Amino acid sequence: MASKFFSEMNLRFLLYKVFDVASLTRYDTYKEYDGKILDMVLKAAMELAEGLLWPNFQEMDKNPPELVEDQIKVHPSVKQFLKECGEGGWIGTGIPFEWEDSNFPR
């Protein structure tokens, strides 16, 4: 198995050169973002993927989710991954800043 599961150089090329992700900052939803924040988000996503997803990919592929009675059973690492996503603010990131209150904490 390869030591890396993606190329950071290729990912950055696609995001910044091909898809011009920085151009999103011209829209109201992303106006508070800049290149530094985009890089921080990318770095955090890569760390999450390398730390929690990559180590479990093969085992998860060999043991896919299954429906057992009325419940879906998934690999145990999914729980930790979702916990980290929640703690890192990855879940619910589409909620507008103006909706931020006790019901939608960031």
Side-chain angles (χ1 to χ4, degrees):
M1 178 183 291
S3 61
K4 279 192 96 84
F5 67 106
F6 73 96
S7 165
E8 182 178 345
M9 182 179 76
N10 288 347
L11 181 60
R12 287 183 176 281
F13 172 76
L14 287 170
L15 288 173
Y16 291 105
K17 301 295 183 189
V18 175
F19 298 117
D20 191 18
V21 72
S23 69
L24 291 173
T25 60
R26 71 177 180 239
Y27 298 104
D28 287 343
T29 304
Y30 303 102
K31 67 183 175 203
E32 296 182 24
Y33 292 78
D34 61 16
K36 188 175 182 179
I37 289 179
L38 293 173
D39 283 340
M40 288 171 53
V41 169
L42 181 58
K43 182 180 180 211
M46 290 187 300
E47 288 173 358
L48 187 63
E50 286 179 325
L52 290 174
L53 292 178
W54 176 240
N56 297 302
F57 270 164
Q58 279 191 326
E59 190 177 333
M60 290 171 75
D61 284 346
K62 291 176 188 171
N63 301 293
E66 60 183 346
L67 181 62
V68 178
E69 294 176 9
D70 286 337
Q71 291 188 335
I72 297 174
K73 302 291 182 179
V74 297
H75 190 275
S77 66
V78 173
K79 181 178 180 179
Q80 182 62 32
F81 175 72
L82 290 176
K83 180 181 178 212
E84 292 288 330
C85 285
E87 290 175 357
W90 293 96
I91 298 175
T93 56
I95 297 170
F97 285 110
E98 59 269 16
W99 289 10
E100 189 173 331
D101 63 17
S102 60
N103 293 321
F104 296 106
R106 286 218 180 255

